Amino acid sequence: MTTEQAKASDPRPRGRPRLDIDDNDVADAVAELIAERGVEGLTFNDAAEKLSVSRATLYRTIPTKEHLLAVLLVRSMNEMNELVADALKRIDDPAEQLLALVELQIDAAIRMRQYMPLFFGQGDMPAETYTRWQGWARDFEQAWVEVVRRNMQAGTLADGDPVITARLLLGACLWVSRWYRPTDRFTAEQIRQSALDLVNSMVPPRAAGEA
Amino acid sequence: MTTEQAKASDPRPRGRPRLDIDDNDVADAVAELIAERGVEGLTFNDAAEKLSVSRATLYRTIPTKEHLLAVLLVRSMNEMNELVADALKRIDDPAEQLLALVELQIDAAIRMRQYMPLFFGQGDMPAETYTRWQGWARDFEQAWVEVVRRNMQAGTLADGDPVITARLLLGACLWVSRWYRPTDRFTAEQIRQSALDLVNSMVPPRAAGEA
């Protein structure tokens, strides 16, 4: 909403001070508040305060707590898209691509653990965010499936249905959001390394026999 | 509650018709109703009707919808305990034990998919059921960790922290409860087989080199 077009359709009356609220600032504020108090503890008031705007100003752009959270969810999807696209562009080898996806996903599960359940039906999501999320999830899974497929073709993963295999691997990574605790004895780095070791150890029977 | 002691402490007045409600029947009724209408659609009335008892009679044994669900959750825990104990007694080889655990877990994730989220904080659980679940989850994970540890010692899984590795593998299996749909193109058997193939393909680097 920073284009001239968006400004032209802005319903804010002339003469008032410009009080643009940047989506990135909102996402940062929401993420910080969630880190401090959890999703349950997030309030509209606290968000306005953290953004140094009045409740009324915030309300004009973002009408509900669900919409506040949605700004963060949308940014998270965009972030993941960029990270994955970048990794797949940077890396050619399918086996290395898979390891990069696993690493990104474990990191995301840890970083987003407090609000990840929102993506999976806990709490409400504005309808348009939900639609966006469904499309995103489909495309995101497709990226994983393609990498898994290439590994099966290259003989670096056991043959099988690439969709099922991708979902099993994604599940191992996503589930980390359930059990990771910063106060636990396991560091994010240890979990990441274990996941990489595990995926690295997946050698299809023929390749193992040839080795 | 079928022992003489339990009967002696039964607060039901003498002379009334015996209206024992068997936990197994309750669990069956609740599971059937959930399969038909989902957890949200489960009502106290429907449960009483399915059990052929009056609302009042059901209420005397099981005071809330949460307690109804808890009967099913407790039976699920007991079932899993029996299945795992039986598999570990029946099978000696650590690699085969791990495959058996994976198979059991995939099947459970599919069978219990509609109410599994209750175990993970969606919806309320009676306090005593929650305490029981916490203890159960700890012991259950411990069984997985032991099998993973034995596989690492036997050289059938890459070395690593057995707790992290067990959680990653459990996550792959548990996550199936999120994405499995009976109407989908993937059958339970295909998913089970893919998971077994994937775990079977995990060969620690040294073993692969020796092969």
Side-chain angles (χ1 to χ4, degrees):
Chain A
M1 292 294 272
T2 52
T3 65
E4 283 309 304
Q5 210 177 10
K7 278 178 191 162
S9 69
D10 193 330
R12 187 172 45 85
R14 286 152 183 265
R16 286 237 202 139
R18 175 103 211 147
L19 288 167
D20 259 343
I21 301 179
D22 183 72
D23 274 359
N24 242 328
D25 293 342
V26 174
D28 283 341
V30 172
E32 276 175 50
L33 288 168
I34 288 178
E36 288 164 19
R37 282 158 241 191
V39 171
E40 298 300 311
L42 175 72
T43 68
F44 213 80
N45 272 345
D46 289 342
E49 197 175 309
K50 186 146 272 198
L51 287 160
S52 308
V53 297
S54 71
R55 250 183 82 91
T57 302
L58 182 58
Y59 181 76
R60 225 176 295 135
T61 320
I62 301 170
T64 68
K65 174 176 162 177
E66 279 66 42
H67 286 83
L68 266 182
L69 286 165
V71 175
L72 177 60
L73 297 184
V74 168
R75 187 177 68 175
S76 301
M77 296 183 223
N78 291 340
E79 247 179 44
M80 285 305 286
N81 278 350
E82 277 172 39
L83 289 169
V84 167
D86 177 62
L88 298 185
K89 216 169 72 180
R90 190 165 36 84
I91 305 167
D92 277 330
D93 179 58
E96 293 296 327
Q97 284 184 334
L98 182 60
L99 293 175
L101 289 190
V102 167
E103 191 167 353
L104 282 177
Q105 200 62 45
I106 297 266
D107 288 349
I110 290 175
R111 193 170 67 248
M112 303 176 185
R113 68 188 177 282
Q114 283 172 299
Y115 52 95
M116 218 174 221
L118 294 173
F119 283 122
F120 302 108
Q122 236 159 335
D124 290 321
M125 218 190 266
E128 81 261 22
T129 312
Y130 185 67
T131 306
R132 188 160 175 173
W133 149 247
Q134 284 187 303
W136 180 87
R138 207 169 29 239
D139 294 346
F140 188 76
E141 180 181 283
Q142 200 44 47
W144 268 78
V145 170
E146 275 314 308
V147 170
V148 166
R149 194 194 309 276
R150 280 200 286 275
N151 274 278
M152 288 177 174
Q153 283 165 353
T156 41
L157 262 190
D159 243 356
D161 186 288
V163 177
I164 301 179
T165 303
R167 288 179 182 177
L168 290 169
L169 292 174
L170 258 169
C173 300
L174 287 166
W175 198 252
V176 173
S177 66
R178 286 275 181 202
W179 58 264
Y180 173 78
R181 298 280 175 281
T183 52
D184 227 10
R185 62 190 163 107
F186 305 119
T187 64
E189 174 54 31
Q190 277 177 294
I191 299 168
R192 195 188 301 125
Q193 196 52 54
S194 294
L196 294 178
D197 288 346
L198 202 64
V199 173
N200 242 330
S201 79
M202 291 173 184
V203 182
R206 203 180 319 150
E210 281 164 6
Chain B
M1 288 297 270
T2 53
T3 65
E4 283 310 303
Q5 210 178 10
K7 277 177 192 163
S9 69
D10 192 331
R12 186 173 45 86
R14 287 152 182 264
R16 284 238 201 138
R18 176 102 214 145
L19 288 167
D20 259 343
I21 301 179
D22 184 71
D23 273 359
N24 243 326
D25 293 342
V26 174
D28 283 341
V30 172
E32 277 175 48
L33 289 169
I34 288 177
E36 290 163 18
R37 281 159 243 189
V39 170
E40 298 299 311
L42 174 72
T43 68
F44 213 79
N45 272 345
D46 289 342
E49 197 176 309
K50 184 144 270 191
L51 288 161
S52 309
V53 297
S54 71
R55 251 184 81 91
T57 301
L58 182 58
Y59 182 76
R60 224 174 297 134
T61 320
I62 301 169
T64 68
K65 174 177 163 175
E66 277 66 44
H67 286 83
L68 266 182
L69 286 165
V71 175
L72 177 59
L73 297 184
V74 168
R75 186 176 71 175
S76 301
M77 295 182 220
N78 291 339
E79 248 178 43
M80 286 305 285
N81 278 351
E82 278 172 39
L83 289 168
V84 167
D86 177 62
L88 299 185
K89 215 168 75 180
R90 191 165 36 84
I91 305 167
D92 277 332
D93 179 58
E96 294 294 327
Q97 284 184 334
L98 182 60
L99 293 174
L101 289 191
V102 167
E103 192 167 352
L104 283 176
Q105 201 63 43
I106 298 268
D107 288 350
I110 290 175
R111 195 169 65 249
M112 303 176 186
R113 68 187 177 282
Q114 283 173 299
Y115 53 92
M116 216 171 224
L118 293 173
F119 283 122
F120 303 107
Q122 234 160 338
D124 290 322
M125 219 190 267
E128 82 260 25
T129 311
Y130 185 68
T131 306
R132 189 161 174 174
W133 149 250
Q134 285 187 304
W136 180 86
R138 207 167 29 239
D139 293 348
F140 188 76
E141 180 179 283
Q142 201 43 47
W144 267 78
V145 170
E146 274 315 308
V147 170
V148 166
R149 194 194 309 278
R150 279 201 287 275
N151 274 278
M152 287 175 174
Q153 283 164 353
T156 41
L157 263 190
D159 244 356
D161 186 289
V163 177
I164 301 179
T165 303
R167 288 179 181 177
L168 290 169
L169 293 173
L170 259 170
C173 300
L174 287 166
W175 197 253
V176 174
S177 65
R178 286 276 181 197
W179 57 266
Y180 173 77
R181 299 282 175 280
T183 52
D184 226 10
R185 62 190 164 108
F186 305 119
T187 64
E189 174 54 31
Q190 278 177 294
I191 299 169
R192 195 189 299 125
Q193 196 52 54
S194 294
L196 293 177
D197 288 347
L198 201 64
V199 173
N200 241 331
S201 78
M202 291 171 184
V203 181
R206 203 181 316 148
E210 282 164 3

